[in-house]
Amino acid sequence: MSVSVVAPHSKRPAEEDKVFAANRKAQEAAKKVGADQVINSTIGALLEDDGSLSIMQTAMEAFKNLPDAEIAAYAPIAGLPEFLEAAKTAVFRDYRPKGHIRGVATPGGTGGIRHAVWNYMEPGETLLTSDWFWAPYRTIAEEHGRKMTTFTLFDEKKAFNLASFKEKVQELADHQERVLVVLNTPAHNPTGYSLTDEEWQQVLTFLSNVVEHQSKKVILYVDIAYIDFAGDMKTSRGFMKQFENLPQNLLILIGYSMSKAFTFYGLRSGALLCVSSSEEVADEFESTAAFSNRAVWSNGTRGAQRVLAKVYGDPALLEKVEAERAGFSKLMFDRARAFVDEAAEVGLNIFPYRAGFFITIPCENPAKVSEELTKDYLFLLPMAKGLRFAACAVSVEKCRQSARLIKKAIDKVNG
Ligand SMILES: Cc1ncc(COP(=O)(O)O)c(C=O)c1O
């Protein structure tokens, strides 16, 4: 007879994380047939062509050169003040909206989502994101006794589905005082889509209407985990100017992460920022999020925070960091381009890719197709309605090969 001791709300099926499970299978295959025969497109980290982790040397050196005490000591609960200033600069650059901007340090982008889900939703309420989404959104919602629902990201022309977005926001607003909406843009995981400036305008106009005419509160969480791989400053950040002069009941939260931007995945550092036209709402955000920091993880990784402060306090260092990152971006772009071009060549249907680490292939029976692909030693992530291909982890040549193999497997499984 099985024994269970956990409280009912924490009773969940024991499941291995899907990404880590797929990666484990790929690694087992590499041991068997050799890494060069295997295409491991499972992990959301930038890898060199040989499969080793790409490391931003400028950032790593800055970290290793810190005095011991800057690594070992606690950081202030809300984060080092210089870090928080640097985070605001890193997020907005030349596109800082007017308004009240506050921030707290979080352990990566994950931490910011946690605080939004806890502080801007009531128990049992539902958050909204797109039907293609990063799985931990749901995990975090469930962990905190909240639910998640989705709108359809693309319409039949593969354009942003504003109609579905509006319908779903309205549905939630009809039943909840607050609606938390999570948009992962630019360089969305898993499709690589970025909302255009016009789409942003339509989204914000609609949400402003919802809060003004129905006295609701909308919290728009912009997950910018991949922003530094999303093209030039204007393309990646221009939309942020639209965050100024929004109604007081429309709060913008921005989840910034050092994981990809500095290859600091394991150092767990990021920031949650707010932009509000109301000083009161911004102050409330700051004290609430700082309280949550104390309650959940106390403080963040001081050394990582110090590195961000150093980078933005030293123009020469910033230039070096950006030059190195430009090399990473090019690597990423060349791989994605190879996949996208080959997909067009062989007639593989993919979602519109703008930038970022992943490309998505919508298809029937994704689990079966993914299983079929393992026969060719191609490992990727099957999702509910398609496959996620991590171009960040695979060489240009393997990207090209993958598009062909995926097309073949889909045709075989789905006829
Ligand atoms: C969409 C998205 N948001 C947020 C994150 C946050 O990652 P971290 O907590 O490492 O900053 C990730 C990482 O994979 C992601 O893909």
Side-chain angles (χ1 to χ4, degrees), residues 224-255:
I224 59 163
Y226 297 90
I227 194 162
D228 285 308
F229 296 88
D232 62 26
M233 289 298 165
K234 168 89 179 76
T235 313
S236 61
R237 290 163 169 84
F239 66 90
M240 292 186 183
K241 270 300 218 185
Q242 298 188 43
F243 295 161
E244 56 193 39
N245 298 325
L246 294 172
Q248 297 195 352
N249 282 351
L250 173 50
L251 175 64
I252 303 290
L253 299 182
I254 302 175

Side-chain angles (χ1 to χ4, degrees), residues 107-111 113 134 137 184 189 223 225-226 257 259-260 265 268:
T110 306
I113 295 157
W134 186 51
Y137 293 156
N184 172 211
N189 174 4
D223 181 346
Y226 297 90
S257 167
S259 298
K260 332 275 163 181
Y265 311 94
R268 312 305 307 139

Side-chain angles (χ1 to χ4, degrees), residues 266-311:
L267 279 170
R268 312 305 307 139
S269 188
L272 178 61
L273 306 186
C274 84
V275 183
S276 175
S277 54
S278 155
E279 188 165 15
E280 217 177 325
V281 170
D283 286 344
E284 179 189 60
F285 159 84
E286 192 176 33
S287 58
T288 307
F291 186 93
S292 285
N293 267 6
R294 187 66 189 99
V296 187
W297 42 71
S298 181
N299 53 82
T301 309
R302 185 183 184 103
Q305 292 180 17
R306 184 57 77 199
V307 168
L308 197 79
K310 267 177 134 261
V311 167

